[in-house]
Amino acid sequence: QVQLVESGGGLVQAGGSLRLSCAASRLTFSVYAMGWFRQAPGKEREFVATISWNTDTDYADSVKGRFTISRDNAKSTVYLQMNSLKPEDTAVYYCAADPRRGLMTTQYNYWGQGTQVTVSS
């Protein structure tokens, strides 16, 4: 059974940085697209960033220029470097995997359990 385990969340002040990691197991990581999504209280889960098997990337407009998604196939891990964090970035962040890259939650078959990111003002 595919497992995705996120880590790296926490509490940070506005303007600070965090790096999230998502370690994947029981899938051929190198051929999967990986995505990051987030869900704030009372809101729907939304797209943040995605990276294809050949490292093509897409970002939500709200995070462009501040967040960077990357992957290390040797470690079966995808990262989300988050800089210049804002209070509105506060959410539970989830990683997801699917053979095809997409921007919608419905396009991903596998999900992690999420990691909380809280940005204080």
Side-chain angles (χ1 to χ4, degrees), residues 14-50:
S17 298
L18 282 175
R19 188 175 83 154
L20 306 184
S21 301
C22 172
S25 59
R26 304 191 184 100
L27 79 168
T28 307
F29 183 81
S30 61
V31 303
Y32 271 72
M34 301 297 296
W36 285 99
F37 293 77
R38 67 187 181 186
Q39 188 166 18
K43 295 187 176 181
E44 293 188 353
R45 194 170 298 187
E46 65 176 8
F47 167 74
V48 175
T50 185

Side-chain angles (χ1 to χ4, degrees), residues 9-82:
L11 174 64
V12 64
Q13 288 187 333
S17 298
L18 282 175
R19 188 175 83 154
L20 306 184
S21 301
C22 172
S25 59
R26 304 191 184 100
L27 79 168
T28 307
F29 183 81
S30 61
V31 303
Y32 271 72
M34 301 297 296
W36 285 99
F37 293 77
R38 67 187 181 186
Q39 188 166 18
K43 295 187 176 181
E44 293 188 353
R45 194 170 298 187
E46 65 176 8
F47 167 74
V48 175
T50 185
I51 186 167
S52 68
W53 65 272
N54 62 347
T55 68
D56 287 336
T57 58
D58 279 307
Y59 295 92
D61 288 343
S62 59
V63 307
K64 278 182 183 176
R66 300 188 298 122
F67 291 11
T68 303
I69 188 171
S70 62
R71 64 189 299 156
D72 184 338
N73 289 343
K75 296 182 178 180
S76 296
T77 299
V78 63
Y79 303 97
L80 186 68
Q81 178 66 45
M82 306 186 295

